[in-house]
Amino acid sequence: MKSVQWHDTHITILNQQALPHKTEYLELKNIKDVWDAIVTLKVRGAPAIGMTAAYGLALAAKSYETDDLAQFHAELKRDRDYLASSRPTAVNLFWALDRLMKSVAHAKSVNEAKTTLIHEAICIQVEDEDVCRRIGEHALSLFQDGDRIMTICNAGAIATARYGTALAPFHLAKEKGMTLHAYACETRPVLQGARLTSWELSQAGVDVTLITDNMAAQTMKAKRISAVIVGADRIAANGDTANKIGTFGLAILAKAFNIPFYVAAPLSTIDLQTKTGDDIPIEERAKEEVTHIGGVRIAPDVNVYNPAFDVTPHELITGIITEKGIIFGDYETKLPTLFEEVFA
Ligand code: MRU
């Protein structure tokens, strides 16, 4: 079961807004459908957003009628900018779109460019599966059989091509016959932890316990949580990490309880152009996400502040787990080395 799939005339996505009640696939037939699915969180999670946008751009380009390369590039740039306007925080969105733009910079014909875009988008998805598996293997090296590990939001298989980032060690542990106990924070306001992580892990046969967000401190203490692992939407050059709202609070609690706090993310989430967390744009979403749950109003019509992400300062992060390995501390020096090619 794939969260995103290319079908030549359309893209299918697993509708993450319908979970856990319904396992429903939606067909995205044009660029507007793609933009809308990203904005409304039908597809979500940094790598899945990047993959979907890449397919969306390839799909849009397929429909261009021009044979003129300059005109093709102008239309492509317009559509790249439109898709880039869907969500501001996850850098994978811009990374994937720009990777597609670069792939056709030297195309010799419109037809060649159209084929290249599709090929490049498929490569992003295929590579992500391998990347996530590697992240999972590295993450697993940090854990012992029987560990109790807390997470927030959903950085799982449905947010990536497969396995997930923060959830990859749980899936791999299961494959290898090792037991890891997951503690999933429900993740208000949109409940990615309750609706998605607890669904995904229980479907996979992983032992998962759901808590509300305000139970994190008590759970760390009473259940002797071994570690916290979270995904990321953007990691700045100094290691400051934007992830789902509530992550920063968990990092502070982990520090108070002397529990390791890990960030698991692919290189495509590391943004060396963004110097510190203060430079990461934080998405603010509609007030109804806070005043309502499942379409039912739970609060009067008052002012609401609804940041979708927060930034965990690098000094609270024990290690950053990537497909190239784990780095501990001094992120400013070590993050750029991950991008260096290793020649055997
Ligand atoms: O608003 P969302 O649900 O897209 O936020 C998702 C997260 O914060 C994830 O932790 C992150 O994108 C990593 S997904 C592998």
Side-chain angles (χ1 to χ4, degrees):
M1 183 189 66
K2 284 193 154 74
S3 57
V4 183
Q5 205 155 5
W6 172 257
H7 294 277
D8 254 347
T9 53
H10 63 277
I11 303 157
T12 49
I13 57 155
L14 173 66
N15 181 2
Q16 298 196 35
Q17 284 291 26
L19 288 170
H21 313 293
K22 252 195 305 181
T23 307
E24 168 188 274
Y25 289 86
L26 300 175
E27 289 191 1
L28 311 180
K29 298 196 175 106
N30 55 51
I31 191 168
K32 169 81 178 63
D33 288 351
V34 173
W35 186 88
D36 194 66
I38 296 173
V39 170
T40 57
L41 311 181
K42 294 188 180 78
V43 59
R44 46 138 308 275
I49 292 170
M51 285 173 341
T52 310
Y55 282 137
L57 192 60
L59 187 67
K62 253 188 105 201
S63 67
Y64 301 163
E65 283 171 2
T66 183
D67 283 333
D68 177 61
L69 259 179
Q71 173 69 22
F72 176 87
H73 283 296
E75 291 185 38
L76 195 65
K77 171 78 171 66
R78 177 201 62 205
D79 288 345
R80 178 250 169 239
D81 291 349
Y82 173 59
L83 287 168
S85 73
S86 56
R87 295 192 74 190
T89 305
V91 77
N92 304 60
L93 170 66
F94 312 102
W95 170 86
L97 289 170
D98 292 340
R99 181 167 157 176
L100 257 68
M101 297 300 284
K102 270 194 214 121
S103 75
V104 293
H106 303 293
K108 298 202 173 46
S109 71
V110 166
N111 271 344
E112 182 197 315
K114 287 180 178 179
T115 312
T116 302
L117 288 172
I118 297 168
H119 174 77
E120 197 67 20
I122 292 171
C123 281
I124 289 176
Q125 184 166 24
V126 170
E127 285 168 23
D128 190 60
E129 181 169 334
D130 180 55
V131 159
C132 288
R133 191 172 172 103
R134 283 167 198 270
I135 289 172
E137 297 281 3
H138 291 303
L140 208 49
S141 73
L142 297 165
F143 303 139
Q144 314 282 322
D145 200 35
D147 271 358
R148 296 160 305 283
I149 302 161
M150 187 174 284
T151 190
I152 189 166
C153 195
N154 172 272
I158 59 174
T160 61
R162 200 175 165 193
Y163 298 111
T165 55
L167 297 192
F170 297 98
H171 289 294
L172 289 189
K174 185 78 199 166
E175 270 183 32
K176 292 171 197 276
M178 179 177 161
T179 304
L180 293 182
H181 303 281
Y183 284 81
C185 297
E186 68 171 349
T187 322
R188 268 286 279 156
V190 192
L191 300 170
Q192 289 94 331
R195 294 189 302 103
L196 307 176
T197 293
S198 61
W199 174 82
E200 176 181 322
L201 292 181
S202 58
Q203 291 274 311
V206 174
D207 177 61
V208 57
T209 302
L210 177 63
I211 59 168
T212 65
D213 300 318
N214 50 359
M215 296 171 186
Q218 169 62 14
T219 307
M220 282 183 186
K221 187 175 158 204
K223 298 293 179 185
R224 291 176 290 106
I225 293 296
S226 327
V228 178
I229 188 166
V230 299
D233 287 84
R234 192 185 299 223
I235 300 174
N238 69 346
D240 292 351
T241 295
N243 190 50
K244 180 51 55 195
I245 191 73
T247 302
F248 180 21
L250 285 188
I252 293 170
L253 290 178
K255 174 106 183 155
F257 285 104
N258 203 19
I259 293 169
F261 181 92
Y262 299 112
V263 169
L267 263 53
S268 52
T269 302
I270 298 169
D271 179 11
L272 297 179
Q273 308 310 314
T274 297
K275 293 291 162 234
T276 76
D278 289 343
D279 306 314
I280 300 176
I282 299 296
E283 178 181 13
E284 285 186 35
R285 295 185 58 89
K287 66 191 288 192
E288 288 72 24
E289 287 185 351
V290 176
T291 55
H292 292 63
I293 296 183
V296 178
R297 178 176 280 282
I298 54 141
D301 192 14
V302 291
N303 293 334
V304 166
Y305 172 50
N306 182 18
F309 302 96
D310 56 29
V311 174
T312 300
H314 60 274
E315 59 271 18
L316 294 180
I317 300 171
T318 311
I320 298 179
I321 307 160
T322 74
E323 65 270 36
K324 290 266 192 92
I326 310 168
I327 52 173
F328 299 95
D330 193 10
Y331 300 117
E332 195 146 14
T333 311
K334 292 178 185 166
L335 283 172
T337 66
L338 296 173
F339 292 88
E340 287 164 10
E341 291 294 333
V342 181
F343 297 104

